[in-house]
Amino acid sequence: MLLRDNPEVRGELDARYQYIMVDEYQDTNRAQYEIVRALSVEHPNLAATGDPDQSIYGWRGADINNILDFERDFPNVHTVRLEQNYRSTKRILSVAGHLIAYNQRRKRKSCLPKMTKGRRSVSSATANQQTEAESIAARISDEVAAAGRRPRDYAVFYRTNALSREFEHAFRAHGVPFQIVNGLEFYQRKEIKDVLAYLTLINNRATTCSCCE
């Protein structure tokens, strides 16, 4: 590694970048850790934000030890805990805190709710993504029909856009109108439309020559 094996280059870059800020520090890998360490020697003005409870990218190289050992690696650090939560109700935070407490390696913290107690949380287990989407769509459809609610009263949160397809299929099957916020429906994505166009062309017998039959 250049910064490790060449002290002159490391020192020059350390002097050039005297203030460094790293966001989502729990998702940094070993190489990124080494860069941050090398550029924080003569000018240790490092600010890092992160949450070890949100570390889910170990499969692509993220090392949770980077944030768990932060105070050890930078002993003069001043830690500020952001524990006030403005998004979720007290009951949701209580359930989340109870579950995450089973993690053996984490930084202990509390989530202090700003909102009211809220409705009781309900959990369910399904065999796969398809049955999960089916059960959610069915419940929304039933409640809209029985309780006089509107589809816009419901929101479904998922981690990545790739998970939207099963929900789209389920909502269409149950006649539940939906809107994807900050994203495209699966069949409206450019690469999907291109693939479907090619498949339609292949399946069109009018465009098939006799030698292919």
Side-chain angles (χ1 to χ4, degrees):
M1 178 176 164
L2 179 63
L3 298 177
R4 180 185 59 202
D5 300 333
N6 194 317
E8 293 183 359
V9 173
R10 189 211 60 76
E12 179 181 344
L13 293 176
D14 194 348
R16 181 186 303 177
Y17 304 105
Q18 297 185 15
Y19 297 89
I20 299 176
M21 184 175 74
V22 182
D23 191 21
E24 303 292 357
Y25 196 81
Q26 76 278 357
D27 294 331
T28 55
N29 56 36
R30 186 65 187 181
Q32 293 168 325
Y33 166 83
E34 294 289 352
I35 293 173
V36 170
R37 288 279 285 172
L39 300 184
S40 304
V41 179
E42 285 84 11
H43 304 279
N45 302 312
L46 171 63
T49 61
D51 183 357
D53 289 340
Q54 297 187 39
S55 182
I56 62 173
Y57 291 111
W59 55 272
R60 69 179 188 189
D63 187 351
I64 194 175
N65 293 306
N66 292 351
I67 192 169
L68 292 178
D69 298 334
F70 192 82
E71 286 83 359
R72 184 201 66 184
D73 297 335
F74 302 93
N76 296 323
V77 68
H78 174 62
T79 301
V80 178
R81 296 183 181 274
L82 304 178
E83 298 180 318
Q84 187 74 59
N85 185 286
Y86 299 90
R87 293 182 175 181
S88 300
T89 62
K90 182 177 181 180
R91 278 177 165 165
I92 291 177
L93 294 179
S94 177
V95 171
H98 179 75
L99 290 175
I100 201 67
Y102 285 98
N103 280 13
Q104 296 182 355
R105 303 195 63 220
R106 61 187 295 261
K107 292 180 181 292
R108 299 291 175 181
K109 66 178 183 298
S110 301
C111 286
L112 308 176
K114 190 70 174 178
M115 300 178 64
T116 58
K117 190 175 183 179
R119 298 175 60 183
R120 184 173 61 91
S121 300
V122 178
S123 63
S124 61
T126 55
N128 50 50
Q129 295 178 12
Q130 183 178 1
T131 55
E132 177 188 43
E134 174 68 22
S135 65
I136 292 175
R139 179 171 178 175
I140 293 176
S141 178
D142 292 342
E143 292 187 1
V144 168
R149 295 178 178 173
R150 299 171 299 176
R152 65 182 300 176
D153 295 332
Y154 300 85
V156 178
F157 296 87
Y158 43 83
R159 187 71 184 183
T160 63
N161 288 334
L163 300 176
S164 71
R165 184 177 63 168
E166 298 296 345
F167 288 105
E168 293 177 41
H169 288 174
F171 287 149
R172 287 194 177 96
H174 286 271
V176 177
F178 64 89
Q179 177 184 8
I180 296 181
V181 180
N182 294 332
L184 291 174
E185 295 182 23
F186 180 79
Y187 290 107
Q188 294 301 317
R189 300 172 190 171
K190 181 180 183 301
E191 62 275 17
I192 303 302
K193 293 171 72 173
D194 288 346
V195 170
L196 290 176
Y198 282 122
L199 292 176
T200 301
L201 178 63
I202 294 173
N203 192 51
N204 187 352
R205 295 186 61 84
T207 63
T208 305
C209 62
S210 58
C211 60
C212 298
E213 296 181 349

